[in-house]
Amino acid sequence: MTNVYISIDMEGVAGIATMDQVVRGGHGYPRSQRLMTAEANAAIEGAFAAGADRVLVNDSHGTMDNLLHDELDPRARLIFGTPKLDCMAEGISAEHDVALFLGYHAAAGSPGVLAHTYSSHFYEVRLNGAIVSEAEVNALQAAAVGVPVGLLTGDDVICGVAGKAFPGVRTVAVKIAHGHTSADSLSPAEARRLIGEAAAETVRSAGELRPLDLPDVLELEIDMPTTPAAELGELVPGVRRIADKTLAATFATPREVLGCVTTCYHLAADAMITRMALYGRPTR
């Protein structure tokens, strides 16, 4: 029996490059939901065509309730909503043979379309001293349960990162970054064709893949958006404040890293909401 896990984000989907498209309430967001759902379906179709018995999809963007459920391939199951214990890697387990990361993007502090790491308010996230993307952190959680990442899709920047970081991974670059909110994109139809083919090839060769090697210790650092956000983060047990806006913590497992990142995500968001509310007050 072949079980496939899919984590799908939105920023790395073909035809998407602007904030208006990826934030709920934007004029372009409903169209992005359809594009995201269609890329998920392309991967699901490819997986089943290659002999998958089960496919589990985790909606991994923003509020994590973006996919159009009534348009999703009915053969797949869907995890959605937030917060989740394992965030973008929610639901992955030792029962899965391979993970597919769809619609992914580059890390905060790096070039790439809508590049960020978990929160658009984090300036940078580092593990063991190196800048990391969401893909790399989620791949560590997959590795913790023995699952390799076999396919990643997104822009050319994150595909380049994945090609170096994940053993044997296939990548589909559906667009070339021309800036933070601009891209040269394949047509959605062509992107879906390539994703479907790559998903099928990945599932067929899943037995040849191996998970990432797990470090013995994970040293996490997060650059928060404001001093008050860092002050609040310092109150979390085990978290240290090593600079005015920088938090650090030492963990033994990727799940602990994801839990800290999720907590800091909400602290950063609350800090920015408070600041913007003050900026928006009438001056008289």
Side-chain angles (χ1 to χ4, degrees), residues 24 28 33 64 69 95 114 133 145 154 166 185 194 224 229 250 264:
R24 188 176 298 278
Q33 288 181 281
M64 301 187 176
H69 297 198
E95 294 182 354
L114 296 165
S133 67
V145 293
F166 306 154
S185 178
L194 294 173
M224 299 290 277
T250 303
C264 290

mmCIF file of all heavy atoms in Angstrom, residues 24 28 33 64 69 95 114 133 145 154 166 185 194 224 229 250 264:
data_model
loop_
_atom_site.group_PDB
_atom_site.id
_atom_site.type_symbol
_atom_site.label_atom_id
_atom_site.label_comp_id
_atom_site.label_asym_id
_atom_site.label_seq_id
_atom_site.Cartn_x
_atom_site.Cartn_y
_atom_site.Cartn_z
ATOM 1 N N ARG A 24 -6.619 36.801 2.441
ATOM 2 C CA ARG A 24 -8.082 36.724 2.432
ATOM 3 C C ARG A 24 -8.685 38.126 2.430
ATOM 4 O O ARG A 24 -8.283 38.983 3.218
ATOM 5 C CB ARG A 24 -8.571 35.952 3.651
ATOM 6 C CG ARG A 24 -10.068 35.651 3.643
ATOM 7 C CD ARG A 24 -10.438 34.801 4.847
ATOM 8 N NE ARG A 24 -9.755 33.513 4.820
ATOM 9 C CZ ARG A 24 -10.174 32.471 4.118
ATOM 10 N NH1 ARG A 24 -11.256 32.555 3.394
ATOM 11 N NH2 ARG A 24 -9.504 31.334 4.151
ATOM 12 N N GLY A 28 -7.923 39.431 -5.587
ATOM 13 C CA GLY A 28 -7.413 38.281 -6.322
ATOM 14 C C GLY A 28 -7.462 36.977 -5.558
ATOM 15 O O GLY A 28 -7.166 35.915 -6.129
ATOM 16 N N GLN A 33 -7.560 30.811 -4.759
ATOM 17 C CA GLN A 33 -8.104 29.580 -4.181
ATOM 18 C C GLN A 33 -8.338 28.531 -5.272
ATOM 19 O O GLN A 33 -8.044 27.346 -5.077
ATOM 20 C CB GLN A 33 -9.425 29.869 -3.464
ATOM 21 C CG GLN A 33 -9.287 30.619 -2.162
ATOM 22 C CD GLN A 33 -10.632 30.822 -1.519
ATOM 23 O OE1 GLN A 33 -11.397 31.722 -1.914
ATOM 24 N NE2 GLN A 33 -10.951 29.991 -0.540
ATOM 25 N N MET A 64 -5.101 28.510 6.690
ATOM 26 C CA MET A 64 -5.146 27.076 6.391
ATOM 27 C C MET A 64 -6.560 26.557 6.128
ATOM 28 O O MET A 64 -6.900 25.415 6.447
ATOM 29 C CB MET A 64 -4.446 26.266 7.497
ATOM 30 C CG MET A 64 -2.982 26.663 7.675
ATOM 31 S SD MET A 64 -2.069 25.617 8.818
ATOM 32 C CE MET A 64 -0.411 26.317 8.653
ATOM 33 N N HIS A 69 -13.202 22.918 -0.945
ATOM 34 C CA HIS A 69 -13.447 21.513 -0.611
ATOM 35 C C HIS A 69 -14.312 20.807 -1.647
ATOM 36 O O HIS A 69 -14.054 19.651 -1.983
ATOM 37 C CB HIS A 69 -14.109 21.413 0.758
ATOM 38 C CG HIS A 69 -13.246 21.928 1.878
ATOM 39 N ND1 HIS A 69 -13.466 21.610 3.193
ATOM 40 C CD2 HIS A 69 -12.153 22.736 1.879
ATOM 41 C CE1 HIS A 69 -12.559 22.202 3.952
ATOM 42 N NE2 HIS A 69 -11.758 22.890 3.168
ATOM 43 N N GLU A 95 3.179 6.214 8.496
ATOM 44 C CA GLU A 95 2.387 5.462 7.524
ATOM 45 C C GLU A 95 2.586 5.969 6.101
ATOM 46 O O GLU A 95 2.248 5.275 5.144
ATOM 47 C CB GLU A 95 0.905 5.538 7.878
ATOM 48 C CG GLU A 95 0.539 4.844 9.184
ATOM 49 C CD GLU A 95 -0.944 4.902 9.459
ATOM 50 O OE1 GLU A 95 -1.667 5.575 8.686
ATOM 51 O OE2 GLU A 95 -1.392 4.282 10.436
ATOM 52 N N LEU A 114 7.200 36.480 -2.863
ATOM 53 C CA LEU A 114 6.507 36.496 -1.568
ATOM 54 C C LEU A 114 7.283 35.707 -0.513
ATOM 55 O O LEU A 114 6.699 35.030 0.337
ATOM 56 C CB LEU A 114 5.079 35.952 -1.729
ATOM 57 C CG LEU A 114 4.182 36.806 -2.631
ATOM 58 C CD1 LEU A 114 2.928 36.043 -3.037
ATOM 59 C CD2 LEU A 114 3.799 38.107 -1.951
ATOM 60 N N SER A 133 14.033 27.834 5.120
ATOM 61 C CA SER A 133 12.692 28.035 4.567
ATOM 62 C C SER A 133 11.705 27.123 5.283
ATOM 63 O O SER A 133 12.096 26.215 6.030
ATOM 64 C CB SER A 133 12.693 27.713 3.076
ATOM 65 O OG SER A 133 12.928 26.319 2.872
ATOM 66 N N VAL A 145 9.575 11.275 11.238
ATOM 67 C CA VAL A 145 8.700 10.102 11.198
ATOM 68 C C VAL A 145 9.081 9.180 10.030
ATOM 69 O O VAL A 145 8.317 8.305 9.640
ATOM 70 C CB VAL A 145 7.208 10.512 11.115
ATOM 71 C CG1 VAL A 145 6.784 11.192 12.404
ATOM 72 C CG2 VAL A 145 6.930 11.408 9.912
ATOM 73 N N GLY A 154 7.143 25.275 -6.876
ATOM 74 C CA GLY A 154 7.135 26.681 -6.464
ATOM 75 C C GLY A 154 7.935 27.503 -7.450
ATOM 76 O O GLY A 154 8.038 27.139 -8.627
ATOM 77 N N PHE A 166 17.300 18.288 -0.427
ATOM 78 C CA PHE A 166 16.529 17.062 -0.286
ATOM 79 C C PHE A 166 17.052 15.980 -1.229
ATOM 80 O O PHE A 166 16.982 16.135 -2.446
ATOM 81 C CB PHE A 166 15.045 17.315 -0.577
ATOM 82 C CG PHE A 166 14.417 18.427 0.224
ATOM 83 C CD1 PHE A 166 13.311 19.113 -0.263
ATOM 84 C CD2 PHE A 166 14.926 18.800 1.461
ATOM 85 C CE1 PHE A 166 12.728 20.128 0.469
ATOM 86 C CE2 PHE A 166 14.357 19.820 2.200
ATOM 87 C CZ PHE A 166 13.258 20.490 1.704
ATOM 88 N N SER A 185 5.549 33.605 -14.992
ATOM 89 C CA SER A 185 4.891 32.346 -14.632
ATOM 90 C C SER A 185 4.502 31.516 -15.845
ATOM 91 O O SER A 185 4.130 32.043 -16.905
ATOM 92 C CB SER A 185 3.628 32.650 -13.810
ATOM 93 O OG SER A 185 2.936 31.464 -13.481
ATOM 94 N N LEU A 194 2.678 19.607 -15.651
ATOM 95 C CA LEU A 194 4.001 19.227 -15.156
ATOM 96 C C LEU A 194 3.932 18.672 -13.737
ATOM 97 O O LEU A 194 4.635 17.712 -13.393
ATOM 98 C CB LEU A 194 4.934 20.439 -15.205
ATOM 99 C CG LEU A 194 5.279 20.956 -16.601
ATOM 100 C CD1 LEU A 194 6.072 22.259 -16.499
ATOM 101 C CD2 LEU A 194 6.049 19.911 -17.397
ATOM 102 N N MET A 224 12.233 38.791 15.362
ATOM 103 C CA MET A 224 10.863 39.266 15.505
ATOM 104 C C MET A 224 10.707 40.687 14.943
ATOM 105 O O MET A 224 11.699 41.406 14.769
ATOM 106 C CB MET A 224 10.466 39.227 16.978
ATOM 107 C CG MET A 224 10.508 37.837 17.593
ATOM 108 S SD MET A 224 9.219 36.733 16.979
ATOM 109 C CE MET A 224 7.835 37.237 18.026
ATOM 110 N N ALA A 229 7.316 42.362 20.788
ATOM 111 C CA ALA A 229 7.068 40.971 20.377
ATOM 112 C C ALA A 229 8.169 40.061 20.909
ATOM 113 O O ALA A 229 7.903 38.944 21.373
ATOM 114 C CB ALA A 229 6.988 40.874 18.854
ATOM 115 N N THR A 250 16.799 26.086 22.086
ATOM 116 C CA THR A 250 17.453 24.844 21.698
ATOM 117 C C THR A 250 16.464 23.695 21.838
ATOM 118 O O THR A 250 15.859 23.518 22.901
ATOM 119 C CB THR A 250 18.681 24.578 22.589
ATOM 120 O OG1 THR A 250 19.564 25.699 22.497
ATOM 121 C CG2 THR A 250 19.407 23.319 22.141
ATOM 122 N N CYS A 264 5.461 31.946 18.273
ATOM 123 C CA CYS A 264 6.057 33.241 17.935
ATOM 124 C C CYS A 264 5.325 33.906 16.777
ATOM 125 O O CYS A 264 5.251 35.139 16.705
ATOM 126 C CB CYS A 264 7.532 33.051 17.603
ATOM 127 S SG CYS A 264 8.548 32.633 19.036
#
